[in-house]
Amino acid sequence: MDHAILLRIVKRMSKKDEESPRVSASPNPPPLPVDFISSRQESTFAARKSAVRKYCCTPAATKNTWDCLFDEGYRADVSIKTDNGGVLYAHASILGVNSAVFKSMLSLKQSRAHGRCGQRSISINGVPPEAVQVFIRFLYSSRYEEEKIKKHGLSLLVLSHAYAVTHLKRECEWQLEQRLTTENVVDIFQLALLCDASRLSLVCHRFMMKNLKPISATEGWKAMKQSHPVLEKQMLKSIIDEDIREKERVRKNNERKMYMQLYEAMEALVHICKDGCRTIGPHDKVLKEDQEPCHYAACKGLESLIRHFAGCKLRVPGGCIHCKRMWQVLELHSRLCANSDVCKVPLCRSFKQKRRKQNKKDEMKWSILVRKIVRSKSISGAPFFSSEST
């Protein structure tokens, strides 16, 4: 039809609308039948942990009608040829609405067959005919049988990817994730890479890293090694890299725990020298016999270390190993202390004065240690102990 004619029709209809009397308010719609009351239904993904509840007001009778439309092929205008000479009948409008690939294919065939009568025909080969039937039925009613999608999950993933049916592709990915085994994970992993199923390929990759030894003995791994040696090398390299990263994470966690223990030891030292703990404390303070249990885990170890330090005759640095450790604890405290003039920890002020005479190498080591302790406690550069806490 000519565009000018369409414009005249639109103008004529708009004039009629202007001339027709306007109603102030639209009447209330009649109540819906009982069968059509919207019911809350869970989507097909509701079984997942991150399930999103959806609302559907399409009654089952309507979906049955869509299935019947496909089963009976009423006024179907497209024939789909499958392997083994099978033929399915469908409607071009439904195929085109659900898949941009089908829409492009059918439009091209219509332009080529312009002026000739007859059905348009397309071929879907390389997958079982039953899988094609499940795929086309899904385009009509978005429904499937659980047994068939389990049986043809791989084929349906390929079809949904090839014809850009994203909602079916997501469902196939999830179904395959639930059925991963050491025997099929290699095949599913390769297919996920080909079908650009990023989540499925990631899940398969993690599964293979956790179960590499049994998987490397399967027929799927051997076939991948022969047909895709580069993929096997990449897989092994990623496993080695992940192992290195895991070791690095463990090392950093252990290092962080050590710095946290040092921080707690510094707190416990201040607690002992200021308030006293159980049987040890400042000389000018009387310790209570009915003290509450100490909540500092490092107090017990520090108590025995301090008692040894007080009675050891080799207290000079470099002599007794326990005394050397106590010297280091006292020096570390002095570097974290905010105000040595009022601090009750022994030798705090002396160590601060001694720092001026230290060489740059030792000073750098202590600075790095203090910085890491502060970072482990997430304190932005502030000293650990203020004058109020000491």
Side-chain angles (χ1 to χ4, degrees):
M1 186 180 292
D2 189 15
H3 292 288
I5 299 175
L6 285 174
L7 290 173
R8 285 198 296 270
I9 294 174
V10 172
K11 289 180 180 179
R12 190 162 58 248
M13 292 181 68
S14 62
K15 286 182 180 179
K16 288 182 179 180
D17 291 337
E18 292 175 358
E19 294 173 359
S20 61
R22 295 184 178 179
V23 182
S24 59
S26 58
N28 295 326
L32 291 173
V34 179
D35 295 341
F36 279 77
I37 295 177
S38 62
S39 60
R40 183 173 182 173
Q41 300 177 348
E42 293 185 358
S43 69
T44 54
F45 306 97
R48 306 180 200 182
K49 293 181 180 179
S50 59
V52 178
R53 292 186 177 272
K54 297 184 178 180
Y55 295 85
C56 177
C57 22
T58 306
T62 302
K63 292 186 177 182
N64 292 336
T65 302
W66 295 338
D67 283 337
C68 185
L69 183 65
F70 168 70
D71 293 334
E72 296 182 1
Y74 178 71
R75 290 196 173 185
D77 52 358
V78 177
S79 61
I80 302 173
K81 297 179 180 179
T82 62
D83 289 345
N84 301 328
V87 179
L88 298 173
Y89 297 99
H91 301 79
S93 56
I94 293 178
L95 299 183
V97 166
N98 286 279
S99 169
V101 179
F102 274 131
K103 185 177 182 180
S104 178
M105 291 172 59
L106 294 171
S107 299
L108 184 61
K109 288 182 178 294
Q110 184 178 16
S111 61
R112 288 179 179 177
H114 184 69
R116 293 181 293 175
C117 58
Q119 289 184 332
R120 283 166 285 180
S121 176
I122 58 177
S123 298
I124 301 179
N125 300 316
V127 293
E130 188 179 22
V132 180
Q133 184 183 18
V134 175
F135 173 65
I136 301 299
R137 180 188 293 276
F138 186 87
L139 300 182
Y140 277 76
S141 60
S142 296
R143 294 198 295 185
Y144 59 84
E145 296 178 18
E146 193 75 21
E147 295 180 358
K148 290 187 177 180
I149 200 170
K150 288 181 179 180
K151 181 180 179 182
H152 301 292
L154 293 174
S155 300
L156 290 171
L157 177 63
V158 173
L159 290 172
S160 60
H161 173 71
Y163 293 98
V165 184
T166 55
H167 48 300
L168 177 58
K169 183 179 178 179
R170 287 195 299 268
E171 179 61 20
C172 291
E173 288 182 41
W174 184 78
Q175 290 284 348
L176 291 172
E177 285 177 20
Q178 311 309 308
R179 297 188 291 113
L180 287 179
T181 64
T182 55
E183 296 295 330
N184 64 13
V185 66
V186 177
D187 296 330
I188 295 177
F189 175 64
Q190 294 180 85
L191 189 63
L193 293 176
L194 293 173
C195 295
D196 196 24
S198 55
R199 174 182 167 80
L200 181 58
S201 61
L202 178 62
V203 172
C204 291
H205 186 268
R206 290 177 177 175
F207 186 89
M208 293 167 71
M209 286 195 297
K210 292 179 180 178
N211 306 276
L212 179 62
K213 189 172 182 179
I215 290 173
S216 59
T218 60
E219 294 297 328
W221 184 275
K222 295 176 182 177
M224 181 183 70
K225 187 176 181 179
Q226 293 179 355
S227 58
H228 299 92
V230 177
L231 181 60
E232 186 210 15
K233 290 181 180 179
Q234 291 176 350
M235 187 67 197
L236 293 174
K237 185 178 181 301
S238 66
I239 292 172
I240 294 171
D241 293 342
E242 180 62 27
D243 185 56
I244 294 173
R245 286 193 294 269
E246 181 63 25
K247 290 179 179 178
E248 183 66 16
R249 281 194 293 267
V250 171
R251 186 189 67 79
K252 287 184 177 181
N253 286 335
N254 293 336
E255 192 177 71
R256 193 176 297 112
K257 288 179 182 178
M258 180 188 68
Y259 295 136
M260 287 297 297
Q261 290 172 356
L262 286 173
Y263 169 81
E264 292 171 1
M266 295 301 101
E267 282 191 327
L269 180 63
V270 174
H271 163 65
I272 290 173
C273 297
K274 179 186 176 184
D275 304 321
C277 182
R278 290 180 293 199
T279 61
I280 191 170
H283 63 86
D284 57 347
K285 188 169 184 178
V286 179
L287 300 176
K288 297 179 181 179
E289 296 181 359
D290 56 343
Q291 286 188 12
E292 296 181 358
C294 182
H295 62 278
Y296 289 101
C299 267
K300 189 174 181 180
L302 274 175
E303 181 180 346
S304 61
L305 193 62
I306 292 172
R307 289 189 182 280
H308 172 86
F309 184 73
C312 184
K313 297 180 179 180
L314 300 174
R315 289 187 296 182
V316 293
C320 174
I321 185 173
H322 300 292
C323 293
K324 184 178 180 181
R325 188 175 301 167
M326 189 64 201
W327 284 110
Q328 292 172 343
V329 168
L330 293 172
E331 184 170 359
L332 178 60
H333 164 81
S334 70
R335 292 176 177 274
L336 293 169
C337 186
N339 193 347
S340 300
D341 295 331
V342 296
C343 181
K344 294 185 178 181
V345 177
L347 304 177
C348 181
R349 188 174 180 180
S350 299
F351 275 110
K352 280 193 178 293
Q353 294 174 352
K354 181 184 174 183
R355 283 168 52 184
R356 302 170 186 172
K357 301 178 181 179
Q358 278 187 335
N359 57 49
K360 292 184 178 180
K361 186 176 181 181
D362 291 340
E363 182 67 24
M364 186 177 295
K365 288 181 181 180
W366 281 106
S367 299
I368 292 172
L369 177 61
V370 170
R371 194 182 308 120
K372 288 184 176 180
I373 292 175
V374 172
R375 189 181 301 163
S376 69
K377 200 61 181 177
S378 300
I379 300 177
S380 57
F384 271 65
F385 310 113
S386 64
S387 59
E388 290 78 13
S389 66
T390 56

